[in-house]
Amino acid sequence: FFNIIHACFGTRRKTLLNSLCLNMGLNKEQALNILSFAKISPEKRAENLTVLDYLKLYFGYIENMQ
């Protein structure tokens, strides 16, 4: 869970899509699948998410990376 939060905030001024790709080693398709599962726009930035959004991202990561 905390790895996802760290990845989202790991690169300044980046969208969630770019942050997940750069900081978690995901390709664009994997990151889009996770964001889609969580129903979060890939254009959002880390500081605009709620705790619930981060939980959704975590569950999306678990679901898509198995």
Side-chain angles (χ1 to χ4, degrees):
F1 176 77
F2 292 107
N3 289 341
I4 289 177
I5 294 173
H6 187 267
C8 289
F9 281 100
T11 311
R12 295 181 61 155
R13 306 275 312 143
K14 295 286 185 190
T15 63
L16 287 173
L17 178 62
N18 290 331
S19 292
L20 290 173
C21 289
L22 290 170
N23 298 322
M24 293 202 63
L26 302 174
N27 63 44
K28 202 171 242 186
E29 182 182 349
Q30 291 170 317
L32 284 171
N33 286 339
I34 292 167
L35 290 164
S36 176
F37 180 91
K39 295 182 173 63
I40 297 172
S41 168
E43 301 302 316
K44 279 196 166 188
R45 298 186 188 278
E47 61 268 20
N48 301 120
L49 298 185
T50 65
V51 173
L52 182 58
D53 290 331
Y54 282 107
L55 284 172
K56 291 178 188 176
L57 275 178
Y58 173 72
F59 290 122
Y61 178 80
I62 297 294
E63 182 71 24
N64 285 284
M65 300 311 291
Q66 291 183 9

